[in-house]
DNA sequence: CGGGCTTTTGAGCCAAATCAAAAATAGTGG
DNA sequence: CCACTATTTTTGATTTGGCTCAAAAGCCCG
């Protein structure tokens, strides 16, 4: 009985928040049944918008980012399968940043109106959405530490450790190996370094036997080694186990 | 009729979120009636805690921060009057960072149990608390841009502009002048620079006629000039007006 | 008026930026 | 399946913003 389990990443992720009953899971399945496909570098939401749907990543990578007057870009979050892109916009009224895909992606669009009804009717889901939003903020805090106080090599190592932990939590990493469809320039815009310097650091990590990265796949060869280099402690992700 | 208006900073701040009825304001007044006084550098909450109260700053400055293995410290938020320190901990289960005062401060302690009852009974307050949490995250995103992509001088200029806007929103800044009880070392731990370098930048800002800063007071002499140097755009604060 | 912070100054150094160009990869259409 | 482009990665050389270390000067406060 080699059954293929088609996991819904949203369910897999939110299960770290609260115990979800079959009924809650069914609601999430229904919500994410309709999806759209987008190519890489498609802008889902732009700064100032108040989009009529909540976007949820089902596959692929997206990111939050801001563009500076001088053309520079700072990526402020990687959105991986299961992540909500703009849950908060109803409360804040307008996006203070843009969201775009980093790779070809599948996105679910939840009508914003329906959300309120759902959270009223399913308190566990309301709680889970809250949790997801707060974990987003916790990740942001750790990224701030990363940029403020860690040298380049540790920054990148830390980010790789985090990504592995997050993807593992949604069942999307095996044996330290995962999709990683970003360019080195994307990575540079994430960690606040130049693309050239990122390139040299990545080479160092490769030569140290810590990672293998080619054609959109990243493999952590020595998880313990990379975590200790990065000073990684996953507690800020607030995952189970 | 020179009436002295004793403003409650929590009310002043949350009024930017939703229209608060007299009833809601009365609840906030009652909640923040009881306060404790703390000296500078008192640790309110430490990493891993799940404190039994929600702390709210009434006067003085506090901060969120993490300490690194090498002794380095990264400040991840300045908590000014009206700010909640640990609203989120009930959902996440444990603090992923510490909170401490930066100056002598007055704090209100709201019993965590009471919170749920209040938000159930006063939807406008529930909404306002949500808003405050999301604005916190928006500020964090802007700080990430600050550390990732702006050179030292702009970083500090931007932070000063933000502080002015926030304090003005709670009625705590007049004519570009405000309390600023931090040391240059605190500022350095906020912007991810060394204290020595912060000192040199502050001197540059002074010599450029942009700021005046002594004995715990900061005055922005040329708001427009500082904002244009920093590339400051206040929309991420989601304030009215 | 003396001791502990905090701010300031100076000198030397290093991580990371910039600029420029070559090599490798990945797409695309014929 | 191959040539032709465009993007991405890599290398090298040079510059610079910001760091470290160390010590002096200024301040605050009992």
């Amino acid at each position: 009985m080699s059954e293929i389990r088609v996991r819904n990443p949203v369910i897999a992720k939110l299960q770290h928040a609260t115990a979800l009953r079959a009924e809650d899971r069914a609601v999430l399945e229904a919500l994410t049944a309709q999806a759209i496909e987008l190519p890489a570098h498609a802008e889902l939401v732009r700064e100032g918008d108040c989009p009529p749907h909540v976007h949820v990543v089902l596959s692929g990578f997206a990111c939050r980012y801001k563009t500076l007057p001088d053309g520079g870009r700072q990526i402020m979050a990687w959105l991986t399968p299961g992540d909500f892109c703009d849950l908060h916009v109803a409360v804040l009224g307008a996006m203070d940043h843009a969201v775009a895909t980093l790779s070809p992606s599948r996105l679910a669009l939840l009508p914003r109106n329906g959300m309120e009804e759902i959270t009223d009717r399913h308190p566990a889901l309301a709680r889970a959405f809250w949790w997801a939003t707060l974990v987003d903020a916790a990740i942001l805090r750790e990224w701030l530490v990363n940029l403020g106080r860690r040298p380049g090599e540790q920054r990148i190592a830390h980010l790789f450790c985090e990504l592995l932990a997050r993807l593992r939590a949604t069942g999307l990493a095996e044996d330290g190996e995962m999709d990683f469809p970003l360019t080195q320039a994307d990575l540079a815009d994430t960690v606040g370094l130049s693309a050239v310097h990122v390139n040299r650091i990545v080479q160092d990590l490769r030569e140290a036997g810590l990672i293998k990265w080619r054609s959109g796949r990243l493999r952590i060869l020595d998880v313990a080694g990379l975590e200790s280099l990065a000073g990684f402690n996953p507690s800020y992700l607030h995952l189970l186990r």
Side-chain angles (χ1 to χ4, degrees), chain A:
Chain A
M1 268 205 288
S2 63
E3 192 200 356
I4 296 167
R5 262 190 276 155
V6 182
R7 290 291 231 91
N8 184 324
V10 182
I11 294 177
K13 178 182 168 174
L14 293 184
Q15 240 152 12
H16 289 264
T18 338
L20 296 178
R21 290 172 307 155
E23 191 193 318
D24 301 319
R25 286 201 298 274
V27 172
L28 290 177
E29 285 290 6
L31 273 178
T32 54
Q34 295 253 330
I36 58 169
E37 304 269 347
L38 288 177
H41 312 118
E43 200 181 42
L44 303 182
V45 190
R46 75 184 62 198
E47 197 172 329
D49 279 3
C50 185
H53 295 90
V54 175
H55 299 78
V56 185
V57 182
L58 296 179
S59 73
F61 279 48
C63 69
R64 306 181 190 289
Y65 67 98
K66 287 190 188 183
T67 308
L68 290 150
D70 71 345
R73 175 177 71 151
Q74 177 65 45
I75 291 177
M76 300 169 310
W78 287 347
L79 302 170
T80 60
D83 287 340
F84 290 78
C85 303
D86 41 17
L87 201 45
H88 55 284
V89 80
V91 175
L92 288 184
M95 291 292 288
D96 51 53
H97 61 275
V99 178
T101 56
L102 287 167
S103 71
S105 305
R106 220 153 46 82
L107 281 277
L109 305 188
L110 323 187
R112 192 172 293 288
N113 304 335
M115 294 300 288
E116 200 165 333
E117 196 194 316
I118 287 163
T119 51
D120 284 351
R121 239 205 281 277
H122 303 277
L125 292 185
R127 197 179 173 76
F129 293 162
W130 242 122
W131 173 87
T133 304
L134 294 175
V135 169
D136 258 31
I139 292 173
L140 219 36
R141 284 191 289 268
E142 190 64 38
W143 282 29
L144 199 76
V145 175
N146 220 22
L147 298 213
R149 284 288 172 239
R150 283 197 263 260
E153 193 174 48
Q154 281 184 42
R155 273 187 221 185
I156 291 177
H158 197 280
L159 206 53
F160 285 170
C161 292
E162 178 190 294
L163 184 67
L164 177 60
R166 286 169 59 185
L167 292 182
R168 216 158 28 193
T170 40
L172 293 168
E174 300 237 348
D175 288 328
E177 190 172 347
M178 60 208 128
D179 279 337
F180 192 69
L182 309 213
T183 65
Q184 293 184 3
D186 292 331
L187 184 52
D189 286 345
T190 305
V191 292
L193 299 170
S194 71
V196 171
H197 197 231
V198 163
N199 177 272
R200 297 196 229 264
I201 291 171
V202 167
Q203 287 178 62
D204 290 347
L205 293 175
R206 280 202 266 249
E207 273 155 37
L210 292 168
I211 65 163
K212 192 175 252 178
W213 172 19
R214 48 179 292 275
S215 58
R217 296 283 296 174
L218 173 64
R219 168 168 226 154
I220 315 283
L221 299 171
D222 176 2
V223 176
L226 197 69
E227 289 184 346
S228 110
L229 169 66
F232 180 73
N233 175 341
S235 60
Y236 70 95
L237 294 172
H238 298 274
L239 299 171
L240 299 177
R241 247 153 317 156

